[in-house]
DNA sequence: GTGGTCTAGACCACC
DNA sequence: GTGGTCTAGACCACA
């Protein structure tokens, strides 16, 4: 239900991907994340593009680097990523969803009911 | 998280756009909608693309065609569009949102609170 | 008197150059600064390099852009640039200078005396 | 603000480095300084480059050569180095700094205050 | 090996 | 025309 929403650029998608891994605790604090070149090969993307994604995340304090060694998940990275992503969600995604709900005349009670239904055995 | 994927094909985006207009009652039942050519000019796309969108909608019974006259919003169009879009929403979008909520550790109660008082951004 | 001080990268030098122009009021608030391509030609540098410099400055809030139009010196740009450059100066350049003064056994009084001497008729 | 300019040629940087050691009295008058080969290894540069630096210093009377033995810090070396470096400082570096101070609107009194109490960064 | 910078040239979206 | 993104490939400094 997205009308002409532009696709987000590749480097931001990569940054999101790294964030997601951190939020899922797949990459924990202190871990070394894949090198620029390795991730570029894995994602079939130019190293510069990965570089840009990493630079973006470093600037936000989510990852840090050691010259000649690699990039690392820094302390408090998960908390920072969580804060940033939550802010984005509440600011951009949620209003869009509320609008959709209204357009589709979806009752809030339906959602509340569905919320626990589909995966009752979740973690 | 696959790269180089256009978010949705253009003709489907156009079909969505028409649906939205109908759901918003901007185009009411019985109304004649813009000609293929006019909408193509307005959206800066190839007429064939609009044609494909209209064909898609016609097939779903959301609009109807009168040869030599144009396309029209038929009776029950809004109800049909609503049903189709709701189905899509519950099947595809909602699960994705539940996953995001879990990842971002957003409490359901927060959403319930924000639902009636938007534009009062929390966090 | 710099021992193996690495040269600062080109894009940062360009960012500095823009800052300097703003500090000198050669480019005033509201002015459109040269396009990425034009400055690249003028400086004999790749457009990407200028782009990177502009992105750096935009991020610091010193310049802003309008898609398809150009980059502009924003309101309060001079004040922001001044604050940032002063911070850099006090943090990095000044301690280095104090060290040099000590090494060269330069008395503070000499500097104070020279301060007014060379260009008494300055603005 | 010209690009692609190496800050100073390497051999001059090495000469500076030797000067600094002498000024710091790390290498005292009469001391034998490292052989061309040893310093070249230590600095990871070509011996010719060190050779050129030593020749430069010898010409200025800051070090002297004893064929087959090595290079030595001569009498008055420190005084000579001091004189040369001070001259460079007053001629080249100081005017540049005065210009910076003016551009950044730094008051002389601020510097005087910081001079004795560094590491107590203001701003 | 690592990251960091730069170039050359391409294509896109916007105006 | 403008900025924005991406690719391909190069070279450097660091470890």
């Amino acid at each position: 239900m997205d009308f002409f929403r532009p696709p987000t650029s590749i480097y931001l998608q990569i940054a999101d991907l790294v964030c997601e891994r951190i939020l899922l605790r797949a990459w924990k604090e202190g871990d070394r994340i894949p090198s620029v070149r390795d991730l570029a090969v894995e994602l079939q993307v130019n190293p510069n593009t990965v570089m840009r994604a990493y630079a973006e995340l470093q600037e936000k304090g989510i990852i840090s680097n050691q010259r000649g060694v690699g990039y690392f998940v820094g302390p408090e990275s998960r908390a920072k990523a969580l804060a940033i992503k939550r802010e984005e969600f509440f600011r951009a995604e949620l209003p869009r969803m509320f609008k959709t709900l209204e357009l589709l005349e979806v009752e809030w009670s339906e959602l509340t009911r569905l919320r626990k239904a589909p995966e009752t055995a979740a973690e």
Side-chain angles (χ1 to χ4, degrees), chain A:
Chain A
M1 186 59 67
D2 45 350
F3 301 109
F4 291 101
R5 185 157 43 120
T8 111
S9 54
I10 297 181
Y11 81 95
L12 288 178
Q13 290 183 46
I14 295 173
D16 270 356
L17 179 135
V18 174
C19 271
E20 192 180 4
R21 297 281 168 84
I22 291 172
L23 289 176
L24 287 168
R25 295 181 222 267
W27 293 345
K28 298 192 197 67
E29 304 188 356
D31 283 3
R32 181 174 169 281
I33 68 177
S35 79
V36 169
R37 284 163 175 79
D38 286 356
L39 191 56
V41 169
E42 185 189 331
L43 299 180
Q44 302 262 53
V45 148
N46 189 288
N48 278 330
T49 306
V50 175
M51 185 73 209
R52 207 168 162 187
Y54 280 13
E56 188 81 13
L57 291 169
Q58 184 178 18
E59 179 191 312
K60 289 181 179 164
I62 294 175
I63 61 178
S64 60
N65 74 1
Q66 234 172 299
R67 285 283 298 242
V69 181
Y71 278 88
F72 294 82
V73 182
E76 303 300 321
S77 287
R78 194 170 175 283
K80 284 177 188 168
L82 201 58
I84 290 169
K85 287 300 171 192
R86 282 174 64 109
E87 189 279 331
E88 282 178 15
F89 175 78
F90 284 115
R91 180 177 42 73
E93 199 142 348
L94 199 56
R96 206 173 55 77
M97 203 201 61
F98 283 153
K99 180 165 158 289
T100 300
L101 290 179
E102 197 174 356
L103 198 65
L104 299 184
E105 300 175 0
V106 176
E107 292 298 323
W108 192 249
S109 56
E110 290 185 75
L111 265 53
T112 304
R113 183 162 42 78
L114 282 169
R115 208 187 133 257
K116 284 297 180 186
E119 289 148 359
T120 323
E123 177 242 350

